[in-house]
């Protein structure tokens, strides 16, 4: 028996580190790492020890003989990765060659503790904090603008992907670490300045992500009901900055610009049976709205052809197993069918081969049932409407065409926002840096999407954080870090004075208990609080039943 890695792989390579026979690839040392959509177990060399499954933070690894349903395909997917690859000759008991030992960090035995602030408690920030806490004696201050930790794990992962959310449990074990101080509900640039933060720490790591969305730059983009898909994701995940009434689901058809993973997430949530979503941690207001939803069709617009579908193969495969939902390819453009029919088995377009094709008559309402339509070689050029969206004009082979809709979501990518006091590259939406070190700002570092741009999933932040922390420690050893002006305890007083609703680790634990208790009452894993006042009240042990 062998193991296989499945859909929820986060590619953080924890499994690689524990495999005794080096049978999981690509490894972080290999050139292909970061360019593949997931990692793969070599079935010819796996010894069935299960170490990878035990270590996986998102429960993505299973014995092949236990796979069922949509997961069965992953036995072949793992094996196919090695079909045309010849392992390097290896000496000893291992079937794949090991890389040469590497020790990129060298800390002196008398390395003094340093104080490091990490701004942002999503995956990038927590991987950096984990690295510091496990490998140094640093004291870490965790800061987040929201009164609850989690970032992308809490507010970006779809509620029907609970295994992916499991990585949050790995990070949560550091929230109560004896060398961690937590100050949630504090916004750098508003409650505190970059200069004040630096004056209280030896170094500051900014892991603020990319919270803005890219724009299309087309007429009508700002009409009501023309909204970034990222806002829809925040809405169904109970983000306190998106109000419950933000979305009207009374239209029968929704058009989404983009066909990446975010586009597939919003399409899937819109057409999934609400009874299924009721068993997740989806926001209560979103669940109620979806139960009353009139949406029966979601159209995914891809400006290029099927070969360039932006989503991962694993997400596309999973979509095909959605109960009661039909997937359709609009073949009005002859290039679409040609690309699918000519696709090789390793191409993403090959996954569309079995889907029904239809030249959709967009002047007609959606047919009965629920479906997702893939439309390729088609870009939005104008959003039409008066007081709201009425249609989207899109490119087509024989000229532009109008697709009637009452809701238009753009899922064309994220973009970072400036941090007041730090340099910012408007072209890339990132902070300029060298190996994570902020240019011209000693003691300041970046990690995650604000460092490299909005690319890579959760696991990509692990290697990104390792580089940044390595740069920081090299600067510390070289004596290049500025010394803090104030003693350690002074920052806590400053944060409490500036942020009136600061939540610490004890308060975060209280929020977690209260949300799980609310969930038990409704037969759900948790019911999230949907507003900042409700989160703060729960952190203080208030009567959470009275607040949302």
């Amino acid at each position: 028996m062998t193991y296989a890695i499945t859909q929820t792989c986060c590619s953080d390579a924890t499994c690689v580190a524990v495999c005794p026979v080096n049978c999981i690839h690509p490894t972080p040392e290999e050139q292909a790492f970061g360019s593949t959509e997931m990692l793969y177990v070599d079935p010819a060399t796996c010894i069935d020890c299960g170490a990878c499954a035990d270590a996986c933070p998102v429960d993505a690894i299973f014995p092949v003989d236990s796979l069922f349903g949509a997961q069965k395909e992953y036995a072949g997917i793992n094996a196919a990765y090695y079909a045309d690859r010849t392992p390097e000759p290896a000496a000893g008991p291992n079937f794949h060659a090991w890389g040469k030992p590497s020790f990129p960090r060298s800390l002196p035995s008398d390395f003094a503790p340093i104080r490091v602030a990490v701004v942002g408690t999503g995956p990038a920030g927590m991987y950096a904090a984990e690295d510091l806490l496990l490998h140094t004696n640093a004291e870490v201050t965790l800061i987040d603008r929201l009164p609850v930790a989690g970032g992308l794990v809490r507010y970006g992962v779809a509620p029907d992907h609970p295994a992916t959310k499991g990585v949050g449990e790995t990070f949560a074990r550091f929230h109560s670490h004896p060398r961690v101080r937590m100050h949630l509900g504090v916004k750098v640039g508003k409650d505190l300045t970059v200069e004040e933060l630096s004056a209280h720490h030896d170094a500051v790591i900014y892991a603020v992500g990319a919270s803005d969305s890219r724009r299309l730059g087309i007429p009508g983009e700002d009409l009501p009901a023309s909204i970034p898909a990222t806002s829809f994701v925040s809405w169904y995940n109970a983000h306190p900055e998106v109000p419950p009434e933000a979305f009207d689901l009374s239209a029968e058809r929704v058009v989404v610009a983009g066909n990446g993973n975010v586009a597939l997430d919003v399409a899937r949530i819109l057409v999934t049976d609400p009874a299924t979503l009721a068993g997740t941690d989806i926001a209560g207001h979103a669940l109620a709205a979806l139960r009353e939803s009139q949406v029966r069709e979601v159209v995914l617009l891809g400006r290029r052809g099927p070969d360039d579908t932006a989503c991962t193969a694993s997400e596309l495969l999973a979509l095909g197993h959605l109960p009661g939902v039909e997937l359709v390819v609009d073949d009005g453009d002859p290039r679409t069918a040609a690309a699918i029919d000519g696709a090789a088995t390793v191409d993403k377009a090959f996954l569309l081969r079995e889907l029904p094709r239809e030249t959709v008559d967009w002047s007609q309402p959606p047919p009965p049932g629920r479906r997702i339509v893939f439309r390729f070689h088609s870009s939005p050029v104008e959003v039409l409407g008066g007081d709201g969206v009425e249609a989207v004009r899109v490119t087509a082979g024989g000229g532009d065409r109008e697709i009637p809709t009452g809701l238009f979501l753009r899922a064309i990518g994220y973009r970072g926002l400036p941090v007041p006091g730090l340099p910012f590259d408007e072209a890339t939406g990132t902070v300029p840096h060298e190996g994570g070190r902020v240019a011209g700002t000693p003691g300041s570092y970046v990690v995650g999407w604000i460092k490299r741009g909005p690319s890579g999933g959760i696991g990509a932040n692990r290697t990104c954080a390792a580089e940044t922390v390595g740069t920081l420690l090299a600067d510390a050893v070289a004596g290049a870090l500025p010394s803090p002006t104030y003693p350690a305890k002074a920052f806590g007083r400053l944060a409490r004075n500036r942020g009136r609703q600061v939540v610490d680790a004890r308060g975060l634990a209280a929020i977690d208990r209260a949300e799980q208790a609310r969930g038990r009452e409704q037969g759900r894993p948790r019911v999230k609080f949907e507003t900042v006042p409700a989160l703060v009240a729960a952190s203080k042990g208030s009567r959470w039943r009275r607040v949302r």
Side-chain angles (χ1 to χ4, degrees):
M1 182 182 69
T2 182
Y3 279 74
I5 299 176
T6 63
Q7 175 190 353
T8 57
C9 175
C10 70
S11 297
D12 85 340
T14 301
C15 54
V16 173
V18 300
C19 177
V21 293
N22 196 28
C23 75
I24 302 175
H25 295 267
T27 70
E29 294 76 28
E30 295 171 347
Q31 187 175 3
F33 186 79
S35 66
T36 60
E37 295 180 350
M38 55 182 282
L39 306 183
Y40 307 87
V41 174
D42 182 358
T45 58
C46 175
I47 61 171
D48 186 26
C49 69
C52 55
D54 291 338
C56 180
V58 293
D59 294 331
I61 308 177
F62 301 94
V64 166
D65 63 1
S66 73
L67 299 177
F68 64 94
Q71 289 185 331
K72 285 186 176 180
E73 298 174 83
Y74 285 91
I77 290 172
N78 279 251
Y81 179 78
Y82 296 93
D84 300 322
R85 289 171 171 80
T86 302
E88 297 178 20
N94 300 307
F95 298 96
H96 290 269
W98 292 99
K100 293 182 179 180
S102 175
F103 304 96
R105 300 177 187 170
S106 180
L107 300 180
S109 58
D110 60 347
F111 185 71
I114 57 174
R115 279 184 269 153
V116 181
V118 178
V119 182
T121 58
M126 291 310 302
Y127 275 123
E130 177 185 55
D131 196 341
L132 287 165
L133 293 167
L134 292 182
H135 302 129
T136 76
N137 54 4
E139 298 172 355
V140 176
T141 303
L142 294 177
I143 301 168
D144 202 293
R145 64 187 178 90
L146 294 175
V148 66
L152 182 69
V153 175
R154 180 179 172 95
Y155 292 121
V157 177
D160 58 350
H161 283 13
T164 304
K165 289 176 178 284
V167 72
E169 298 177 9
T170 301
F171 298 143
R173 62 194 173 116
F174 295 102
H175 293 162
S176 57
H177 192 284
R179 286 187 280 118
V180 168
R181 296 294 178 268
M182 181 175 283
H183 303 281
L184 307 176
V186 177
K187 186 174 182 178
V188 176
K190 179 182 178 182
D191 301 317
L192 297 170
T193 66
V194 164
E195 293 76 18
E196 288 173 325
L197 196 55
S198 295
H200 288 81
H201 298 88
D202 294 279
V204 182
I205 299 175
Y206 293 90
V208 295
S211 57
D212 200 10
S213 58
R214 292 177 57 194
R215 294 180 59 83
L216 289 163
I218 61 175
E221 185 173 8
D222 293 319
L223 280 172
S226 172
I227 306 173
T230 52
S231 295
F232 187 71
V233 171
S234 296
W235 176 75
Y236 65 59
N237 274 317
H239 196 296
E241 293 177 349
V242 180
E245 66 278 5
F247 289 88
D248 178 0
L249 303 182
S250 60
E252 292 183 324
R253 175 183 291 131
V254 175
V255 176
V256 181
N259 55 24
N261 281 357
V262 172
L264 263 61
D265 280 349
V266 301
R268 193 179 62 251
I269 294 298
L270 281 167
V271 297
T272 293
D273 186 345
T276 299
L277 295 174
T280 73
D281 68 351
I282 190 171
H285 60 253
L287 183 59
L290 288 165
R291 282 172 171 155
E292 301 298 323
S293 171
Q294 301 300 307
V295 176
R296 291 189 285 117
E297 179 180 88
V298 180
V299 183
L300 300 178
L301 301 178
R303 62 187 178 92
R304 295 191 290 265
D307 290 336
D308 297 303
T309 304
C311 65
T312 59
S314 58
E315 288 298 318
L316 187 54
L317 279 170
L319 204 64
H321 294 273
L322 202 58
V325 177
E326 181 185 24
L327 304 187
V328 176
V329 174
D330 178 3
D331 67 351
D333 190 310
R335 293 174 293 177
T336 296
I340 295 173
D341 292 338
T345 55
V346 295
D347 296 333
K348 223 173 293 182
F350 186 82
L351 301 177
L352 303 171
R353 181 168 290 190
E354 301 301 320
L355 299 185
R357 302 174 194 175
E358 175 185 334
T359 300
V360 182
D361 182 357
W362 297 110
S363 66
Q364 299 298 314
R370 292 170 291 147
R371 71 179 194 167
I372 297 173
V373 180
F374 289 91
R375 179 178 170 85
F376 298 100
H377 300 293
S378 188
S379 299
V381 293
E382 184 178 5
V383 184
L384 306 172
D387 296 331
V389 174
E390 297 174 7
V392 178
R393 180 176 292 126
V394 302
T395 57
D400 293 350
R401 181 163 299 167
E402 292 184 10
I403 301 179
T405 181
L407 178 60
F408 175 61
L409 302 174
R410 60 179 188 270
I412 57 171
Y414 292 80
R415 176 180 167 80
L417 293 173
V419 177
L422 294 182
F424 187 71
D425 186 334
E426 287 287 350
T428 62
T430 61
V431 172
H433 68 93
E434 297 176 358
R437 182 191 303 111
V438 177
T441 312
S444 295
Y445 301 84
V446 285
V447 69
W449 284 1
I450 195 63
K451 170 187 174 184
R452 66 182 191 274
S455 63
I458 290 173
N461 292 296
R462 190 167 184 249
T463 51
C464 180
E467 179 190 49
T468 294
V469 172
T471 300
L472 186 159
L473 294 177
D475 289 347
V477 172
L481 295 182
S483 299
T485 306
Y486 299 96
K489 293 184 179 180
F491 181 75
R493 293 192 293 269
L494 176 66
R496 289 190 295 273
N497 288 337
R498 297 291 180 80
R500 298 180 180 179
Q501 299 178 328
V502 177
V503 174
D504 59 12
R506 185 176 298 178
L508 180 62
I511 292 172
D512 183 58
R513 290 193 300 271
E515 289 186 338
Q516 291 192 50
R518 282 159 47 105
R520 285 192 295 272
E521 291 184 350
Q522 299 183 29
R524 303 175 59 194
R526 73 171 60 237
V527 174
K528 295 177 183 175
F529 294 104
E530 301 169 357
T531 66
V532 168
L535 286 163
V536 173
S539 75
K540 297 176 181 178
S542 301
R543 294 289 295 176
W544 46 263
R545 291 182 180 85
R546 298 178 182 174
V547 292
R548 296 185 69 190

